[in-house]
Amino acid sequence: APVSARTWRDYAYLLVGSIMAAFAFGTLATLLWLSIILTTVVVGILLFALTVRAARVYAAAPRGLAGALLDEHVATPRRRPRRPGLLGWLGANFGDLDGWRSIAFIIVSTPVTIAGAYSLVILWATSATMVTYPIWWSVYDPENVDSAGVVRQSGLQIGEFYFDTWPRAFAVAAVGVALLFAIPWVARGFTTVDRLLVRGLLGPTRT
């Protein structure tokens, strides 16, 4: 249902998650690019290790968001003990499987979450336009010219089919209402994929 609590949580997850994902992806891309550019010096190696570490730290944010809005509670992976010193720090970060899995999550989940949020915005706008079509069609009285040069009082058309009568206008509104009930299932499809990614990439490993 379009007004259920679960539906609004799905919507909130996609909208908030898309902002987080875009920020994380941009930061990750920048850090990786700088690491590659600076690989010939020690700074690049340190920055690369720091990127893996930062990805692990960031993973707490999508885990928390999934737990709060999707009721998908995933435990935080524990860090393994590391040797002291710089080499120990580098080895712990480069060998941190959970850090690499967090990087994979950012890369894979970003297009899913952003596509979900984008779909919501487009579908909401489309549904609102169709539901209110009888109102703005009658108020603004838009004009279109068909292939025969005849002026049609229609704000929407499909090919040469013009929605220029009250029955057709209300038919458009009915489709808009139906679309409003379909949007939650679209959102749920995206959040289901994200739920699986959080569970598979951000949870503890067995090894």
Side-chain angles (χ1 to χ4, degrees):
V3 294
S4 71
R6 178 176 177 179
T7 294
W8 287 107
R9 287 197 300 267
D10 286 345
Y11 290 167
Y13 178 87
L14 290 174
L15 294 176
V16 176
S18 64
I19 297 174
M20 290 171 47
F23 174 78
F25 188 87
T27 303
L28 176 64
T30 301
L31 291 175
L32 290 177
W33 179 75
L34 289 174
S35 299
I36 294 173
I37 294 297
L38 300 173
T39 47
T40 55
V41 296
V42 177
V43 175
I45 299 174
L46 294 175
L47 187 57
F48 207 153
L50 184 61
T51 301
V52 179
R53 173 63 175 158
R56 170 189 257 276
V57 173
Y58 165 77
R63 274 198 304 267
L65 188 66
L69 296 178
L70 301 183
D71 201 25
E72 182 67 39
H73 301 284
V74 177
T76 302
R78 290 186 292 180
R79 285 182 62 84
R80 293 179 175 83
R82 68 176 180 86
R83 293 178 299 171
L86 179 60
L87 291 179
W89 182 81
L90 289 174
N93 285 313
F94 282 123
D96 184 9
L97 177 60
D98 295 312
W100 289 104
R101 291 166 69 233
S102 298
I103 290 177
F105 174 83
I106 294 173
I107 295 173
V108 176
S109 70
T110 295
V112 174
T113 310
I114 292 179
Y118 179 78
S119 298
L120 285 186
V121 173
I122 295 299
L123 290 173
W124 281 339
T126 302
S127 178
T129 300
M130 297 179 74
V131 169
T132 59
Y133 178 72
I135 298 175
W136 58 265
W137 167 71
S138 61
V139 171
Y140 294 104
D141 197 23
E143 293 184 353
N144 279 319
V145 180
D146 62 20
S147 58
V150 178
V151 176
R152 310 293 293 267
Q153 309 300 129
S154 172
L156 295 174
Q157 69 181 85
I158 300 177
E160 288 298 310
F161 187 86
Y162 292 82
F163 295 91
D164 54 357
T165 64
W166 281 108
R168 293 179 180 182
F170 283 115
V172 171
V175 173
V177 172
L179 181 59
L180 188 64
F181 279 84
I183 295 175
W185 295 101
V186 175
R188 193 159 302 172
F190 283 104
T191 56
T192 297
V193 175
D194 243 19
R195 185 194 300 270
L196 294 174
L197 291 174
V198 170
R199 188 185 307 166
L201 294 176
L202 299 185
T205 57
R206 295 183 179 180
T207 57

